[in-house]
Amino acid sequence: QVALVESGGGSVQAGDSLRLSCVASGDSFNSSPMAWFRQGPGKEREFVAAISWHAGAIYYADSVKGRFTISRNNDINTVYLQMDSLKPEDTAVYYCAASVWYYHTDSHMLTARDKYRYWGQGTRVTVSS
């Protein structure tokens, strides 16, 4: 079993930055692909970014490419999402997710919502214009 706890959300102005963190419990973190998803008001939960176990494979949604950066620190079981140049359309609840498809690096394995078994409770990000 894996527990994920996100932090770092808040209310900011367009153009500002935020860094989200997600701390994972358990001893499988080092082999798990990790991802961030988000769910905006009245929208489906959508993929934002994913990172393989060794950070050798990283994927982003087109809507955040060039503005967001995902990273991880396996020594402290933490994955991050650095969000720069935030826009009002980035407003959403952001969820951290952990996969049990250990050591996978393929895009279709790391970007699909149904490949992630464990989810955090989410952290809210509000961007005003």
Side-chain angles (χ1 to χ4, degrees):
Q1 197 74 8
V2 174
L4 302 173
V5 179
E6 304 101 332
S7 63
S11 296
V12 297
Q13 298 287 318
D16 286 349
S17 298
L18 279 175
R19 189 174 83 153
L20 307 183
S21 299
C22 171
V23 180
S25 69
D27 55 8
S28 62
F29 181 84
N30 287 5
S31 55
S32 296
M34 299 293 296
W36 290 93
F37 288 76
R38 69 185 181 185
Q39 188 165 11
K43 298 181 180 180
E44 295 288 319
R45 193 171 298 188
E46 65 177 0
F47 168 76
V48 175
I51 187 167
S52 63
W53 64 280
H54 61 339
I58 290 176
Y59 302 100
Y60 295 101
D62 287 344
S63 59
V64 307
K65 204 170 293 184
R67 299 187 299 120
F68 290 12
T69 304
I70 189 171
S71 61
R72 65 189 296 160
N73 185 334
N74 287 350
D75 292 336
I76 56 173
N77 283 18
T78 302
V79 62
Y80 303 98
L81 185 68
Q82 176 67 40
M83 306 187 295
D84 298 321
S85 302
L86 282 161
K87 303 176 180 180
E89 50 263 45
D90 295 318
T91 294
V93 177
Y94 284 72
Y95 297 91
C96 174
S99 170
V100 296
W101 293 93
Y102 303 129
Y103 304 114
H104 276 264
T105 60
D106 297 344
S107 172
H108 73 282
M109 295 297 291
L110 268 64
T111 63
R113 192 172 75 180
D114 63 357
K115 295 298 187 288
Y116 289 86
R117 178 179 294 183
Y118 301 108
W119 294 82
Q121 292 300 304
T123 184
R124 186 174 300 275
V125 173
T126 303
V127 185
S128 57
S129 57

